[in-house]
Amino acid sequence: SDGISMANILYALTKSASLLDANGTAKFALEKLRDRYITPQRRSNIGVEFLDIYAKSPDDNPEILPTCYKCGSTNPLIRASDAKLSADTAGMNDQCISCNHLFVRCFINFDVLPLIEFTPTKDIPHSKALELILKTQHDREFAFGLDTAANENDEDGLSTELFDACVLRSLNDKNLLDEDTNHKPVEVDFNSLRSLPRQDIFVIQAQRQMSMNAQASPSGVLAKESGEETECRFFKNVLPEIGIALCPNCHKFFHESDFEFEVLRTGGCPFCKFSDFDHHSY
C-alpha cells in the first residue's frame, strides 16, 4: 500500500522473530528482503542479522507456535499462503491449516484466544438459540434432572461432553470434504445449546454484542426486543479459567485482565476508545 514500506515490515519481522527464537520466520523475512530496496544505512545491519540467524537452528521455537483450540493442531507462524505475499492471498483469513478454524486473537498482544465459533443447526432459529443459552440455572437443573447444587460439576461435564461431540462431528465432516478451505462454524444441536453455560458464551448480533454472564441482563432484554430473526455469531470459551472480554462497540476480543487494565488506564477500549460501559456488558 502507498506509504507503507514492505522492506520496513520485513525488517521489523526479522528483528522480532530473532528475539523470540523464531528462526524459521526470521529466515523467511530475510529471504523476502532480498527482493526489496534496502537503504545503505540498513544494509550492514541486515548483513549481521543474516549471519547470526543462519548460524542458528532452522526452526521456530515450538513454544511460540499457535495451537488451534478446535482440532489441537500446531500451526506455523508463516503459512504457505502468507509466504506468497501477493495480492491474491492478501485477503485470506487467519485460520488453522488443518481444520480451517478461524483464530480469534486478543487485540492487545494478538495471542490466540480459546474461542470456538459455533452456530445452531439449521432447524433452530438464532432467537431460539439465544433463549436456550439464557435459561436460568433452575431451568437447566430441571431439564437435565440436576436438582441439587452438588450436581453442578456433573452439569459442566455434560455440557463439555455434548459440545465436544459437536466439534468432533465438525472435524469429521471437514475430513470428508478435505478440499474445502472455507471456515465453517461448529453446528450445535438443541441439547448442546440447552446445556451451554452462559458465562462462557459470547454473541455478536447486528452491530451489538452480548456476553452471556449472569450479570448481563441487557442481553436478555436484547433477545426479547428483537422482533426480527437476526443472524448472530456465537463463540464459546473452551478454557473458562482464561477470562475473555468483548468490546460492545468494535466487537474485538481481549484477555479480560488486559482489557480491564487498559480501560482503567486510558478510560476506554484499547482498540476503538469506546468508554460508555455503564450501559453495556463486556
Side-chain angles (χ1 to χ4, degrees):
S1 301
D2 293 341
I4 300 177
S5 170
M6 182 58 73
N8 288 340
I9 293 174
L10 290 169
Y11 183 71
L13 177 59
T14 300
K15 297 288 289 184
S16 298
S18 181
L19 290 172
L20 295 170
D21 289 330
N23 302 318
T25 299
K27 288 179 181 179
F28 156 79
L30 281 175
E31 291 294 333
K32 292 297 179 181
L33 267 174
R34 289 181 174 181
D35 302 327
R36 304 288 170 176
Y37 172 76
I38 304 171
T39 60
Q41 297 90 335
R42 186 164 288 174
R43 285 176 189 167
S44 59
N45 293 336
I46 290 177
V48 174
E49 293 282 347
F50 191 91
L51 292 173
D52 181 55
I53 290 171
Y54 271 79
K56 298 179 180 179
S57 165
D59 302 318
D60 289 338
N61 179 359
E63 294 182 1
I64 65 172
L65 298 179
T67 299
C68 175
Y69 286 97
K70 180 180 177 182
C71 71
S73 298
T74 300
N75 283 250
L77 294 175
I78 300 293
R79 301 173 301 172
S81 58
D82 297 326
K84 297 177 183 179
L85 288 178
S86 59
D88 59 331
T89 61
M92 294 194 69
N93 291 318
D94 180 21
Q95 62 192 74
C96 175
I97 61 172
S98 178
C99 68
N100 301 328
H101 169 65
L102 285 180
F103 292 134
V104 182
R105 296 185 181 270
C106 169
F107 260 70
I108 292 179
N109 56 23
F110 293 98
D111 286 343
V112 176
L113 297 173
L115 291 168
I116 293 181
E117 185 174 1
F118 67 92
T119 188
T121 52
K122 295 179 180 178
D123 59 320
I124 304 175
H126 284 199
S127 56
K128 180 63 176 179
L130 289 171
E131 178 185 333
L132 291 171
I133 294 171
L134 285 167
K135 276 185 176 294
T136 65
Q137 181 68 24
H138 178 269
D139 293 334
R140 294 172 189 278
E141 291 174 355
F142 179 79
F144 290 103
L146 304 172
D147 54 1
T148 67
N151 286 319
E152 183 176 349
N153 290 335
D154 293 336
E155 182 187 359
D156 291 342
L158 177 61
S159 171
T160 301
E161 182 179 334
L162 290 172
F163 188 80
D164 286 349
C166 294
V167 172
L168 184 59
R169 283 198 300 271
S170 175
L171 293 174
N172 289 336
D173 290 343
K174 168 65 178 66
N175 290 332
L176 292 174
L177 302 172
D178 199 49
E179 69 280 359
D180 188 1
T181 60
N182 294 321
H183 162 69
K184 289 184 175 62
V186 174
E187 285 199 350
V188 177
D189 56 28
F190 182 88
N191 285 333
S192 300
L193 284 170
R194 190 172 56 172
S195 74
L196 290 174
R198 63 183 180 183
Q199 68 271 15
D200 298 337
I201 306 303
F202 296 88
V203 181
I204 299 175
Q205 174 184 351
Q207 302 303 315
R208 300 175 72 180
Q209 65 84 33
M210 290 172 285
S211 174
M212 298 300 183
N213 54 56
Q215 291 75 34
S217 57
S219 60
V221 173
L222 178 58
K224 294 176 182 178
E225 286 178 348
S226 178
E228 299 178 357
E229 177 60 24
T230 305
E231 289 297 311
C232 303
R233 295 186 68 190
F234 300 85
F235 298 85
K236 183 180 189 296
N237 182 0
V238 293
L239 290 179
E241 61 270 23
I242 298 179
I244 295 174
L246 174 62
C247 175
N249 185 59
C250 64
H251 305 150
K252 303 300 183 187
F253 286 95
F254 305 87
H255 284 294
E256 188 174 48
S257 57
D258 292 341
F259 184 78
E260 291 177 347
F261 177 80
E262 289 298 321
V263 170
L264 290 173
R265 187 176 70 88
T266 66
C269 169
F271 183 81
C272 69
K273 309 308 178 186
F274 177 80
S275 59
D276 186 20
F277 296 111
D278 292 338
H279 299 92
H280 295 81
S281 168
Y282 63 84

